[in-house]
């Protein structure tokens, strides 16, 4: 038997020569991943790696706690967190764009991915400890970090073996693009349900209530009524001692903030405890108008109330303004028919507000 019997034949005149990493994999008989699973893993890695690197910008430039949207590294400072984010982000991004790795690159990539997965596991355990202590009331009894951890383990599993060598490059590229796009669309929805539905109510100095529609006959909409009922509940429980109502003049011609003020007074809140902002025509305007009140007269801790789908965007807007507010989702007296549309609308809105918070 020839000494070359176990090796692949040299490429023919019309066939492209295999690259050194590919040739090494063929010669060693390395087992390969199914092309579809490998493409799914790379698409997930592209999103996670890219988003992790963008978070580095937010952590470094703004100094805000952007870990709330991603992974909180325990018991280390900002410099170490940024360093880990850089390593993990670069490793995952590198795997996504260049999946054929020699051992010197594959092993650190898999190791960093599993370390990051372990951190997400710690985040999930901390979620349950905080919940048990009564500091939060989640709407979804599963932390998003567990979902992220499972995806990271899947990526590490796929990266352990090289992707398949074949003619399905276009199909793999299409799957990679589809998975990355799905991540971009689903991540804001996940934040809406995992973060938005979590009640972070604590003793605070003031609650900011965001305006909503007032009907043509002057009646508050269901959303506005639910927001005000929640704010009144916070006041009655002694958790806040001031209420800021913020809204503008809508299509009905009514001033939302004045309607909200009247609702608060009718519910038993002293009129002098209500601060009116009649220029809160949108989320950004309300944040800009209310921030000047904070920091003075002992107003150090702030609670924001709105519907659950609106809260991630509110949190990001206040982060951009330099304030880490607590969020409380409004109670639900009845489900409104526009609910699904309002959730979908938050997908592009989340990314716009996130970009403003990070790069603004």
């Amino acid at each position: 038997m020839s000494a070359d019997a176990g090796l692949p034949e040299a490429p023919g005149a019309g066939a492209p020569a295999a690259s050194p990493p590919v040739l090494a994999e063929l010669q060693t008989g390395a087992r390969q991943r199914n092309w579809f699973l490998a493409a799914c893993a790379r698409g997930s890695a592209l999103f996670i790696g890219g988003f992790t690197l963008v978070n580095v910008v937010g952590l470094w430039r703004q100094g805000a706690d952007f870990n709330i949207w991603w992974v909180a590294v325990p018991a280390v400072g900002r410099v170490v967190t940024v360093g880990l984010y850089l390593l993990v982000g670069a490793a995952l991004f590198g795997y996504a764009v260049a999946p054929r790795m020699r051992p010197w690159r594959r092993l650190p990539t898999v190791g960093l991915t599993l370390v990051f997965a372990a951190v997400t596991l710690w985040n999930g355990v901390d979620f349950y400890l905080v919940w048990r202590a009564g500091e939060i009331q989640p709407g979804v009894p599963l932390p998003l970090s567990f979902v992220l951890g499972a995806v990271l383990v899947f990526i590490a599993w796929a990266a352990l073996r090289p992707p398949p060598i074949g003619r399905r490059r276009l199909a793999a590229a299409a799957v990679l693009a589809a998975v990355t796009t799905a991540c971009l669309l689903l991540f804001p929805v996940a934040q809406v349900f995992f973060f938005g539905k979590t009640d972070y109510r604590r003793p605070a100095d003031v609650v900011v209530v965001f305006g909503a529609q007032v009907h043509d006959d002057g009646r508050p909409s269901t959303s506005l009524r639910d927001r005000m009922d929640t704010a009144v509940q916070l006041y009655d429980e002694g958790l806040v001692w001031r209420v800021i109502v913020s809204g503008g003049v809508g299509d009905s011609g009514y001033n939302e903030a004045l309607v909200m003020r009247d609702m608060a007074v009718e519910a038993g809140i002293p009129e002098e405890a209500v601060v009116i902002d009649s220029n809160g025509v949108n989320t950004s305007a309300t944040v800009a108008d209310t921030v000047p009140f904070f920091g003075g007269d002992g107003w150090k801790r702030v609670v924001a109330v709105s519907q659950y789908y609106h809260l991630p965007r509110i949190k990001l807007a206040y982060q951009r303004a330099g304030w880490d507010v607590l969020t409380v989702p409004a109670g639900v007296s009845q489900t409104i028919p526009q609910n699904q549309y309002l959730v979908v609308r938050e997908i592009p809105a989340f990314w716009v507000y996130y970009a403003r918070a990070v790069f603004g």
Side-chain angles (χ1 to χ4, degrees), residues 31-45:
R31 296 180 61 188
Q32 300 167 356
R33 290 291 175 216
N34 173 274
W35 73 270
F36 181 79
L37 293 179
C40 288
R42 291 172 57 203
S44 302

Side-chain angles (χ1 to χ4, degrees), residues 218-241:
R219 292 181 300 107
S221 61
T222 299
S223 296
L224 185 57
R225 187 172 62 251
D226 288 345
R227 296 178 190 188
M228 287 305 303
D229 287 347
T230 302
V232 170
Q233 182 185 49
L234 293 173
Y235 185 88
D236 290 342
E237 291 177 355
L239 295 177
V240 298
W241 60 284

Side-chain angles (χ1 to χ4, degrees), residues 262-274:
D262 294 341
M263 295 172 69
V265 172
E266 290 174 7
I269 298 178
E271 188 170 354
E272 60 271 18
V274 182

Side-chain angles (χ1 to χ4, degrees), residues 131-147:
W131 184 8
R132 181 180 180 183
E135 297 182 22
I136 61 172
Q137 290 298 322
V140 179
L142 177 75
L144 181 57
S145 56
F146 278 179
V147 178

Side-chain angles (χ1 to χ4, degrees), residues 107-123:
L107 295 180
T109 296
V110 172
L112 285 167
T113 303
L114 292 177
V115 167
F116 210 45
V119 176
T120 64
L121 176 62
W122 179 90
N123 281 194

Side-chain angles (χ1 to χ4, degrees), residues 12-338:
S19 63
V22 173
L23 197 57
E25 288 163 5
L26 288 171
Q27 290 174 341
T28 57
R31 296 180 61 188
Q32 300 167 356
R33 290 291 175 216
N34 173 274
W35 73 270
F36 181 79
L37 293 179
C40 288
R42 291 172 57 203
S44 302
L46 184 61
F47 170 77
I48 294 175
F51 188 69
T52 302
L53 293 175
V54 172
N55 267 273
V56 171
V57 178
L59 285 168
W60 195 256
R61 292 184 70 246
Q62 306 297 341
D65 183 16
F66 285 93
N67 291 332
I68 190 173
W69 309 112
W70 204 222
V71 179
V73 184
V76 297
R78 187 164 63 119
V79 174
V80 176
T81 298
V82 167
L84 179 60
Y85 271 20
L86 281 172
L87 290 173
V88 171
L92 290 173
F93 193 85
Y95 166 64
V97 300
R100 300 201 180 282
M101 302 179 287
R102 292 184 182 276
W104 67 265
R105 195 175 126 226
R106 177 178 291 129
L107 295 180
T109 296
V110 172
L112 285 167
T113 303
L114 292 177
V115 167
F116 210 45
V119 176
T120 64
L121 176 62
W122 179 90
N123 281 194
V125 172
D126 186 63
F127 166 87
Y128 287 111
L129 292 176
V130 173
W131 184 8
R132 181 180 180 183
E135 297 182 22
I136 61 172
Q137 290 298 322
V140 179
L142 177 75
L144 181 57
S145 56
F146 278 179
V147 178
L148 176 59
V151 175
L152 287 167
V153 170
F154 168 66
I155 293 172
W157 170 81
L160 275 173
R161 294 179 182 174
I165 302 168
R167 299 180 179 179
R168 291 178 171 173
R169 292 182 179 179
L170 288 179
V175 172
L176 184 152
V179 170
T180 305
T181 302
C183 290
L184 286 168
L185 296 176
L186 292 175
F187 185 74
V189 176
Q191 293 296 347
V192 161
F193 284 95
F194 286 88
F195 171 80
K197 288 203 167 198
T198 299
D199 191 326
Y200 292 90
R201 70 178 65 195
R202 317 267 172 81
D205 304 304
V206 61
V207 56
V208 178
V209 191
F210 285 69
Q213 181 186 21
V214 176
H215 295 301
D216 292 339
D217 58 2
R219 292 181 300 107
S221 61
T222 299
S223 296
L224 185 57
R225 187 172 62 251
D226 288 345
R227 296 178 190 188
M228 287 305 303
D229 287 347
T230 302
V232 170
Q233 182 185 49
L234 293 173
Y235 185 88
D236 290 342
E237 291 177 355
L239 295 177
V240 298
W241 60 284
R242 286 287 189 275
V243 179
I244 298 179
V245 291
S246 179
V249 178
D251 295 337
S252 65
Y254 284 92
N255 187 314
E256 296 169 359
L258 295 181
V259 173
M260 296 161 74
R261 185 271 314 273
D262 294 341
M263 295 172 69
V265 172
E266 290 174 7
I269 298 178
E271 188 170 354
E272 60 271 18
V274 182
V275 178
I276 302 171
D277 167 35
S278 295
N279 297 314
V281 294
N282 54 41
T283 303
S284 295
T286 292
V287 171
D289 291 346
T290 56
V291 163
F293 289 101
F294 306 159
D297 297 328
W299 293 15
K300 305 297 184 184
R301 177 174 282 184
V302 181
V303 175
V305 170
S306 188
Q307 265 66 40
Y308 71 94
Y309 51 78
H310 190 198
L311 292 178
R313 187 153 46 102
I314 290 173
K315 181 80 171 182
L316 285 167
Y318 274 118
Q319 280 188 315
R320 183 188 182 194
W323 279 88
D324 185 20
V325 303
L326 301 168
T327 55
V328 175
V332 181
S333 59
Q334 65 181 80
T335 302
I336 60 175
Q338 305 93 333

